[in-house]
Amino acid sequence: MIGVTVLGSTGSVGVSTLDVLDRHRDRFRVVALTANRDYRRMAEQCRLHQPDVAVMVDAGAAVQLRALLSDMPGCPEILSGAGGLDQVAAMPEAQYVMAAIVGAAGLPPTLAAARAGKRLLLANKESLVVAGALLMRAMDESGAELLPIDSEHNAIFQCLPPNFAEGLPSVGVERILLTASGGPLRDWPLDRLALVTPEQACAHPTWSMGRKISVDSATMMNKGLEVIEACWLFGTDTDRIQVVVHPQSVIHSLVQYQDGSVLAQLGNPDMRTPIAHALGWPGRLDAGVAALDLFEVAHLDFEQPDLERFPCLGLAVQAARQGGTAPVILNAANEVAVAAFLDRRIDLSGIAAIVDGALESLPSEPVDGQDLAFLLEVDRRARQRAEQLVRMRVN
Ligand code: NDP
């Protein structure tokens, strides 16, 4: 039996992961589950999956969970606080760790899993954006395995040869074609973008996801974060990555080779496919996903991304090129701005303005040889600056 810990089990990716694990109870055992506040869903998950440990970051939620599970035979040990996340990420009972916490809050336990030499199933793209160098070094030193869960990166991983780490040019790769649905606002009149509500921004046409990544998809910041993620995962720079808008979300990404071949991975837009791929790799597992019906799909469309409509994509690519702490600042400011948009404090166009303002006012510093504490301090300062910019926009 392979032990699996799911960080962020109550979220969209966490729930899909537990669905796949449930289909393969003969092969996987749930070791630990974690959440922030949603103790009701955590209680249901504990009864169904019987983990050894459950972590609620919020102390009040941990108290509620203990009360809800007081009658459960074999009740899991319940920990609270962010320290509990690092603890379960490194537990020897789990060989695999799914990193599915949203935002930079997922970085410390993701790093702990990498340092402990786990198979890391990485959904939490913000970890690589904030600490790509640190995380990749930790993986190398511990011998951990990194399997991408983002559907695009998982597709690219599937289309690359096994020795891609030798360098993309030396294995014959010309370009990575990173697909993007364009989100719910691809066709909105430009002059009405400022009126978009959180509900409209979260109504993604093809994917069902958590609220933060849904807003990131609406602004295409998500694709920008994914460009940075791809640079770290596949050892390349932004010049070798082309974003392609593909509204049907059936081709999850492509790899173009020097001989003119283009390999793609296709499938229905369902996160259980990349999750099952990463759990089963190098084998294949049933994911519970319906087979792709090409006759029903019928058409596949492709467009250039529109950087006037989606300035966040341009800002992210610029931060990737700049390097140093620029991606840390970009990510932190974006998290603050997205939360302010979801709270109806700013309009959608404010997100790009706040990210831009934070990048303008905070200089990028080198990250070589820096540790987690340094990156978290840069993250804290960028959040503080972004909060000021939100307040200036509101007043
Ligand atoms: P959700 O918002 O649905 O879930 C987030 C999870 O993280 C929940 O379990 C939540 O707990 C927990 N969490 C939130 N804040 C904290 C915190 N401060 N400390 C610890 N845990 C916390 O997110 P998604 O599942 O949509 O996304 C998760 C990650 O996967 C993101 O990085 C996203 O970019 C990435 N991803 C998501 C995809 C998707 O289809 N959803 C696709 C590809 C990548 P609680 O429920 O208690 O709040």
Side-chain angles (χ1 to χ4, degrees):
M1 292 289 264
I2 298 170
V4 184
T5 283
V6 184
L7 305 170
S9 64
T10 51
S12 166
V13 172
V15 167
S16 294
T17 304
L18 289 176
D19 182 277
V20 177
L21 291 174
D22 202 34
R23 292 165 195 275
H24 301 282
R25 281 182 177 246
D26 56 329
R27 189 159 168 180
F28 300 106
R29 184 178 83 80
V30 175
V31 171
L33 298 176
T34 84
N36 188 21
R37 293 205 178 95
D38 190 349
Y39 61 86
R40 288 198 176 85
R41 181 167 267 179
M42 177 59 89
E44 287 164 20
Q45 292 184 340
C46 285
R47 287 188 192 278
L48 197 60
H49 300 281
Q50 311 209 307
D52 300 341
V53 186
V55 181
M56 298 303 305
V57 173
D58 182 86
V63 172
Q64 300 279 7
L65 183 66
R66 281 192 196 100
L68 277 182
L69 294 183
S70 58
D71 65 336
M72 179 182 162
C75 176
E77 183 185 354
I78 297 171
L79 305 178
S80 75
L85 300 175
D86 295 6
Q87 207 175 316
V88 296
M91 272 172 79
E93 292 81 355
Q95 292 81 46
Y96 292 6
V97 173
M98 163 60 80
I101 291 173
V102 63
L107 170 58
T110 301
L111 192 58
R115 286 179 171 150
K118 307 295 182 192
R119 173 179 290 196
L120 182 59
L121 286 66
L122 187 68
N124 178 239
K125 65 193 84 184
E126 295 91 344
S127 284
L128 273 178
V129 172
V130 174
L134 194 61
L135 197 54
M136 297 310 280
R137 198 167 65 232
M139 311 275 322
D140 276 352
E141 285 170 3
S142 70
E145 278 177 320
L146 185 50
L147 274 294
I149 294 298
D150 231 331
S151 59
E152 295 80 357
H153 304 74
N154 183 271
I156 295 160
F157 182 85
Q158 293 196 46
C159 296
L160 285 171
N163 59 339
F164 72 83
E166 291 169 18
L168 295 188
S170 57
V171 298
V173 171
E174 194 95 342
R175 281 196 309 174
I176 286 173
L177 302 169
L178 185 70
T179 56
S181 68
L185 308 177
R186 189 174 59 91
D187 292 327
W188 272 59
L190 275 180
D191 58 354
R192 287 185 48 219
L193 281 181
L195 306 174
V196 169
T197 64
E199 291 71 27
Q200 287 165 330
C202 288
H204 199 280
T206 47
W207 292 97
S208 159
M209 308 181 286
R211 278 161 73 77
K212 190 261 178 183
I213 185 177
S214 295
V215 175
D216 285 349
S217 298
T219 61
M220 282 192 80
M221 177 59 91
N222 183 50
K223 211 46 55 181
L225 299 177
E226 287 181 10
V227 169
I228 302 173
E229 183 185 12
C231 288
W232 286 113
L233 284 173
F234 307 118
T236 184
D237 57 30
T238 55
D239 294 343
R240 217 172 268 280
I241 302 174
Q242 167 75 58
V243 173
V244 179
V245 176
H246 162 50
Q248 290 90 357
S249 303
V250 165
I251 298 183
H252 297 308
S253 277
L254 313 90
V255 174
Q256 182 185 321
Y257 286 84
Q258 283 159 359
D259 62 5
S261 300
V262 178
L263 301 192
Q265 186 262 354
L266 285 72
N268 286 317
D270 187 322
M271 285 306 292
R272 291 176 301 172
T273 296
I275 291 167
H277 171 266
L279 284 169
W281 186 82
R284 296 277 173 175
L285 293 178
D286 173 19
V289 176
L292 180 66
D293 183 342
L294 282 176
F295 300 109
E296 199 178 308
V297 174
H299 297 284
L300 297 173
D301 298 311
F302 307 98
E303 294 167 15
Q304 290 272 2
D306 175 351
L307 293 183
E308 191 193 342
R309 177 180 293 271
F310 299 115
C312 284
L313 175 58
L315 288 169
V317 172
Q318 195 185 310
R321 290 196 176 127
Q322 198 177 352
T325 54
V328 187
I329 298 164
L330 171 101
N331 180 71
N334 181 58
E335 287 191 30
V336 169
V338 169
F341 169 70
L342 286 170
D343 285 347
R344 299 175 207 276
R345 293 170 67 205
I346 59 169
D347 68 33
L348 192 83
S349 63
I351 297 176
I354 283 156
V355 173
D356 195 18
L359 285 165
E360 284 285 316
S361 53
L362 299 169
S364 175
E365 298 168 60
V367 288
D368 291 344
Q370 294 290 6
D371 60 6
L372 180 62
F374 169 82
L375 296 171
L376 294 179
E377 177 54 21
V378 175
D379 173 271
R380 190 192 63 75
R381 273 188 272 128
R383 280 171 203 269
Q384 210 172 37
R385 178 69 188 132
E387 264 306 338
Q388 283 171 351
L389 293 168
V390 168
R391 282 197 296 273
M392 280 157 62
R393 225 177 147 83
V394 171
N395 295 333

